[in-house]
Amino acid sequence: MSTTQSERLRELLEPLVTSQGLDLEEIAVDSVGRKRVLRVVVDSDTGADLDQIADVSRALSAKLDEDDAMGAGEYTLEVGTPGAERLLKEHRHYVRAVDRLVKFQLTDCGELVARILTVDDEGLDLEVPGVKGRKATARRIAFSDIDKARVQVEFNRKDKNEEEA
């Protein structure tokens, strides 16, 4: 997809997504055989439920039907939310990941897995889990020290209320 088409789609669709109380996170057009698939990823600070996804999908479909941004030919519109192991790119992504375990690739080629405690304009306050019975430690990293960050899925994490009981 050309940058021009991507920019045009974003300009066309972002106001509709925003009017639904969501953020437009990503747009991608992929070819699947002879068909094209337009994937739109949306999110909000509180997440997006199925009703919101359906509403924004109908609004985007109607707008795309009246505009030629996708050009001639068939395509499928898929609207969804970021996956469980989402890549953190924007400041708002880090804010939404507070209290989540994140794997960081640092600019000094190091790697760190830690829980985000707080986020401000300069960086993150983290809790680095202890190893082999050791206590967790606090750490601060600046956004400029982060090359990549991805949320990790936790299957057996205890709820704070369970830990306090």
Side-chain angles (χ1 to χ4, degrees), residues 106-136:
L106 305 175
T107 55
D108 67 2
C109 297
E111 191 174 277
L112 173 68
V113 176
R115 187 168 313 284
I116 298 177
L117 299 176
T118 62
V119 179
D120 59 36
D121 291 339
E122 286 79 40
L124 313 167
D125 290 314
L126 306 172
E127 178 184 72
V128 181
V131 179
K132 295 184 181 178
R134 293 187 182 149
K135 288 190 174 201

Side-chain angles (χ1 to χ4, degrees), residues 43-64:
D43 201 9
S44 77
D45 290 343
T46 57
D49 62 30
L50 289 176
D51 290 334
Q52 288 176 298
I53 298 295
D55 290 344
V56 78
S57 182
R58 281 189 290 275
L60 295 179
S61 181
K63 186 66 171 179
L64 288 164

Side-chain angles (χ1 to χ4, degrees), residues 14-25:
E14 195 159 29
L16 282 172
V17 172
T18 302
S19 74
Q20 302 279 330
L22 300 170
D23 295 318
L24 178 59
E25 296 293 350

Side-chain angles (χ1 to χ4, degrees), residues 22-38:
L22 300 170
D23 295 318
L24 178 59
E25 296 293 350
E26 187 177 321
I27 295 176
V29 176
D30 298 312
S31 294
V32 179
R34 293 182 185 178
K35 293 187 179 182
R36 295 175 300 151
V37 178
L38 171 59

Side-chain angles (χ1 to χ4, degrees), residues 79-116:
V79 180
T81 58
E85 292 186 354
R86 77 171 305 160
L87 192 61
L88 306 178
K89 297 178 182 177
E90 307 283 335
H91 185 271
R92 68 178 179 265
H93 298 164
Y94 289 96
V95 171
R96 292 173 185 163
V98 166
D99 203 37
R100 301 284 308 270
L101 197 64
V102 175
K103 183 176 185 179
F104 297 93
Q105 295 291 327
L106 305 175
T107 55
D108 67 2
C109 297
E111 191 174 277
L112 173 68
V113 176
R115 187 168 313 284
I116 298 177

